[in-house]
Amino acid sequence: MKQTRILLSESEIPTHWYNVVADLPKPPAPPRGPDGEPLDPSAMLAIFPENIIEQEISAERWIAIPEAVREIYQQWRPSPMHRAHRLEQVLGTPAKIFYKNESVSASGSHKLNSAIAQAYFNKQAGIKRLTTETGAGQWGSSLALAGQMFGLDVRVYMVNVSYQQKPFRRSMMQTWGAEVLASPTELTRCGRKILADDPGNPGSLGIAISEAVEEAAGRDDTKYSLGSVLNHVLLHQTIIGQEAKKQLEQVGEYPDMIFAPCGGGSNFAGLAFPFLADAASGDKAPRLVAVEPASCPSLTRGHYAYDFGDTEGLTPLTLMYTLGHDFMPPSIHAGGLRYHGASALVSQLYHEKLIEAISVPQIATFEAGITFSRCEGIIPAPESCHAIRAVIDEALRCKESGEAKTLLFNLSGHGHFDMASYDKYLSGDLENYAYPEAAVNAALAHLPLGELAE
Ligand SMILES: *Cc1c(COP(=O)(O)O)cnc(C)c1O
């Protein structure tokens, strides 16, 4: 019988998170204030507790995972690795296709990995409440559950259009005890301003972040929690790649190429960074490919410049690939990939050509997701379908060339709450949308510090 699942025992849950900063050729560019001056990390104390800021700016290679966090990870970790034999067969490819299955967490995606850690550190710091944003609802539901586990109140600003389109993600958050508001709201200065200008504003991740940050900055008992982009979030996700390495080792494999969907960059980093450590030590160098939507192509078509992480301009300026902080996303179905920017670390690695990025059109991603689910059973999240598209394309290239590459991708989540999107695809109502060149250029005028002089 062929082995299709590669499992680890609970004792093999990693004991440390891997911090890629220790292995970067150049130190990361510092965050800056609106005046363009490097920001003192203490400026972040208004919205994050000190223990999280320490992780955010750390250059230590290994950071210990608290036992209380590992204990909760045990509910679903180590997550399984699968070999997609049936998909390989259907494609007729000599490539070997493996995937790490992050859809097995209670919230259905990799996001719970960081939510648990962030709730833990906030609890340790004496915080009582967390505010956050959510687009598609995966992050909001993960933080709702994590807050519940550590006795923290959670308020989620959910992008209005998703609030309307995905009522069951909202009920999921409420089931786990969180309060969910459709953003923009009348509760924050930023929300009121946007609604005054545009009463029907559908919301965006950038706006929801502004609202959550504004509230946290105004209350002593409340901090803000972000589901991607920041260094500490990427750090927490590195358990994925560490486990994946061990699992492949068990079957005597090492990947030639690694793919993951890329929104803010956390699940990509989580899977890829531990392999980048091998490249840094001169060992092996797999190709690492971030896959983003053609409709929101921050890495592949954005500007490498300092920009705000939110619409209102309340966050520090970070050097990253950006489509502009006032980006209004087209209504694509991979809600988790609709962010104007990308993680600073992922951006830097892309800029230094240590990783690759590609973009794929929406309809082709659903097509790939359906092929995958008919072979492997699991119905992937629309975000994950982006990686699957890229893997299938590579496997088909291998078929042409006869190369037996080993391919690995991150199945970042399941699509059980995204069936309305699948419906649209199946009924032929889905459209492709390529982000217009004019919008890419227009963003230039809104970059707070202009273009980088290099
Ligand atoms: C949020 C999300 C993503 C994208 O976010 P990253 O921070 O880039 O990982 C991808 N897949 C799923 C299932 C998600 O929930």
Side-chain angles (χ1 to χ4, degrees):
M1 200 167 73
K2 287 187 211 157
Q3 186 180 9
T4 58
R5 268 200 321 164
I6 308 158
L7 302 173
L8 298 174
S9 69
E10 288 173 1
S11 63
E12 290 176 281
I13 293 173
T15 55
H16 291 72
W17 289 301
Y18 166 66
N19 185 4
V20 78
V21 173
D23 287 322
L24 291 179
K26 274 195 261 171
R32 294 179 189 273
D35 55 358
E37 290 303 312
L39 201 72
D40 190 87
S42 66
M44 288 187 274
L45 280 170
I47 55 171
F48 296 118
E50 204 167 344
N51 50 9
I52 296 260
I53 296 173
E54 268 167 35
Q55 292 182 0
E56 185 60 23
I57 60 175
S58 170
E60 291 284 319
R61 182 171 285 105
W62 297 103
I63 294 176
I65 306 177
E67 266 318 292
V69 172
R70 291 184 77 231
E71 218 170 280
I72 296 178
Y73 281 166
Q74 262 189 75
Q75 288 193 344
W76 75 98
R77 304 207 73 85
S79 68
M81 163 87 76
H82 306 246
R83 167 109 185 244
H85 287 293
R86 291 171 60 88
L87 179 62
E88 291 169 18
Q89 220 166 39
V90 161
L91 298 175
T93 179
K96 295 175 191 163
I97 303 177
F98 291 90
Y99 58 96
K100 184 70 169 151
N101 185 359
E102 290 296 311
S103 79
V104 296
S105 80
S107 66
S109 78
H110 67 286
K111 293 221 169 64
L112 196 56
N113 297 331
S114 184
I116 297 294
Q118 292 190 46
Y120 170 84
F121 289 112
N122 275 282
K123 182 72 180 182
Q124 288 295 103
I127 301 309
K128 303 277 185 276
R129 293 175 76 242
L130 292 173
T131 60
T132 196
E133 76 294 327
T134 199
Q138 286 111 327
W139 170 246
S141 43
S142 297
L143 195 69
L145 176 56
Q148 190 57 231
M149 284 175 165
F150 288 102
L152 296 167
D153 290 339
V154 175
R155 174 180 272 181
V156 184
Y157 290 88
M158 184 173 190
V159 176
N160 195 336
V161 56
S162 304
Y163 187 93
Q164 309 301 338
Q165 278 172 359
K166 298 183 75 179
F168 297 132
R169 273 283 168 195
R170 168 168 50 77
S171 350
M172 202 174 181
M173 293 183 249
Q174 289 163 337
T175 299
W176 282 326
E179 181 190 3
V180 189
L181 306 169
S183 162
T185 70
E186 294 282 354
L187 293 179
T188 63
R189 200 185 48 78
C190 159
R192 285 190 295 273
K193 187 172 124 191
I194 284 162
L195 289 175
D197 290 347
D198 176 15
N201 190 298
S204 70
L205 267 178
I207 294 171
I209 295 174
S210 293
E211 293 208 278
V213 166
E214 181 186 323
E215 181 183 339
R219 285 182 62 150
D220 283 345
D221 63 346
T222 303
K223 295 289 178 202
Y224 165 68
S225 181
L226 181 63
S228 183
V229 178
L230 296 176
N231 300 0
H232 67 272
V233 185
L234 273 59
L235 177 80
H236 299 153
Q237 296 295 352
T238 58
I239 47 179
I240 303 174
Q242 293 183 62
E243 289 176 5
K245 248 197 216 182
K246 275 197 192 168
Q247 286 163 311
L248 286 180
E249 253 166 47
Q250 252 184 43
V251 292
E253 296 286 347
Y254 191 85
D256 295 300
M257 293 179 81
I258 294 177
F259 300 86
C262 191
S266 74
N267 89 88
F268 169 77
L271 179 63
F273 284 3
F275 289 91
L276 203 71
D278 293 348
S281 64
D283 232 14
K284 301 177 179 119
R287 285 173 61 193
L288 310 173
V289 187
V291 190
E292 55 183 18
S295 54
C296 185
S298 9
L299 288 173
T300 49
R301 291 176 63 205
H303 304 283
Y304 192 50
Y306 271 96
D307 202 1
F308 292 112
D310 69 318
T311 303
E312 185 68 11
L314 303 178
T315 69
L317 292 169
T318 350
L319 182 57
M320 62 177 175
Y321 283 91
T322 176
L323 295 167
H325 61 277
D326 44 6
F327 167 77
M328 276 308 286
S331 67
I332 56 161
H333 289 269
L337 305 181
R338 271 190 311 226
Y339 182 61
H340 68 272
S343 130
L345 292 173
V346 169
S347 294
Q348 180 181 346
L349 288 163
Y350 181 60
H351 192 66
E352 291 171 2
K353 301 195 164 44
L354 293 169
I355 62 169
E356 300 166 42
I358 58 172
S359 73
V360 289
Q362 176 163 259
I363 293 176
T365 63
F366 278 92
E367 202 173 73
I370 284 178
T371 303
F372 174 84
S373 70
R374 288 179 184 174
C375 298
E376 300 296 312
I378 302 167
I379 299 178
E383 292 84 358
S384 310
C385 290
H386 287 68
I388 299 173
R389 177 73 263 164
V391 164
I392 290 182
D393 288 345
E394 187 61 34
L396 292 174
R397 276 191 290 274
C398 288
K399 183 178 178 176
E400 292 282 304
S401 66
E403 277 177 289
K405 284 186 186 165
T406 300
L407 310 177
L408 167 64
F409 75 91
N410 208 4
L411 186 80
S412 51
H414 66 61
H416 298 175
F417 293 87
D418 302 280
M419 295 319 291
S421 305
Y422 275 88
D423 267 355
K424 273 209 155 176
Y425 171 81
L426 292 167
S427 60
D429 287 343
L430 214 59
E431 286 172 11
N432 278 334
Y433 172 91
Y435 196 63
E437 193 58 29
V440 175
N441 295 331
L444 276 179
H446 305 267
L447 293 173
L449 306 182
E451 276 191 284
L452 276 196
E454 282 197 66

mmCIF file of all heavy atoms in Angstrom, residues 59 100 300 349 403:
data_model
loop_
_atom_site.group_PDB
_atom_site.id
_atom_site.type_symbol
_atom_site.label_atom_id
_atom_site.label_comp_id
_atom_site.label_asym_id
_atom_site.label_seq_id
_atom_site.Cartn_x
_atom_site.Cartn_y
_atom_site.Cartn_z
ATOM 1 N N ALA A 59 16.375 39.506 16.799
ATOM 2 C CA ALA A 59 17.242 38.933 15.760
ATOM 3 C C ALA A 59 17.773 37.573 16.206
ATOM 4 O O ALA A 59 18.664 37.000 15.593
ATOM 5 C CB ALA A 59 18.389 39.877 15.445
ATOM 6 N N LYS A 100 1.313 20.085 3.043
ATOM 7 C CA LYS A 100 1.177 20.199 4.492
ATOM 8 C C LYS A 100 -0.250 20.639 4.748
ATOM 9 O O LYS A 100 -0.710 21.637 4.173
ATOM 10 C CB LYS A 100 2.192 21.246 4.977
ATOM 11 C CG LYS A 100 2.261 21.422 6.477
ATOM 12 C CD LYS A 100 2.878 20.254 7.192
ATOM 13 C CE LYS A 100 3.156 20.621 8.660
ATOM 14 N NZ LYS A 100 3.100 19.434 9.529
ATOM 15 N N THR A 300 4.249 41.050 -7.044
ATOM 16 C CA THR A 300 4.655 40.993 -8.455
ATOM 17 C C THR A 300 4.505 42.314 -9.187
ATOM 18 O O THR A 300 5.178 42.550 -10.179
ATOM 19 C CB THR A 300 3.878 39.891 -9.211
ATOM 20 O OG1 THR A 300 2.488 40.038 -8.922
ATOM 21 C CG2 THR A 300 4.321 38.507 -8.769
ATOM 22 N N LEU A 349 13.081 39.625 1.172
ATOM 23 C CA LEU A 349 13.629 38.417 0.548
ATOM 24 C C LEU A 349 13.319 38.377 -0.948
ATOM 25 O O LEU A 349 14.128 37.922 -1.748
ATOM 26 C CB LEU A 349 13.065 37.170 1.244
ATOM 27 C CG LEU A 349 13.631 36.952 2.641
ATOM 28 C CD1 LEU A 349 12.765 35.996 3.441
ATOM 29 C CD2 LEU A 349 15.063 36.426 2.557
ATOM 30 N N GLU A 403 10.988 15.651 -15.928
ATOM 31 C CA GLU A 403 11.695 15.806 -14.651
ATOM 32 C C GLU A 403 10.833 15.315 -13.489
ATOM 33 O O GLU A 403 9.664 15.689 -13.386
ATOM 34 C CB GLU A 403 11.971 17.293 -14.391
ATOM 35 C CG GLU A 403 13.199 17.848 -15.059
ATOM 36 C CD GLU A 403 13.293 19.329 -14.768
ATOM 37 O OE1 GLU A 403 12.476 20.090 -15.307
ATOM 38 O OE2 GLU A 403 14.183 19.722 -13.981
#
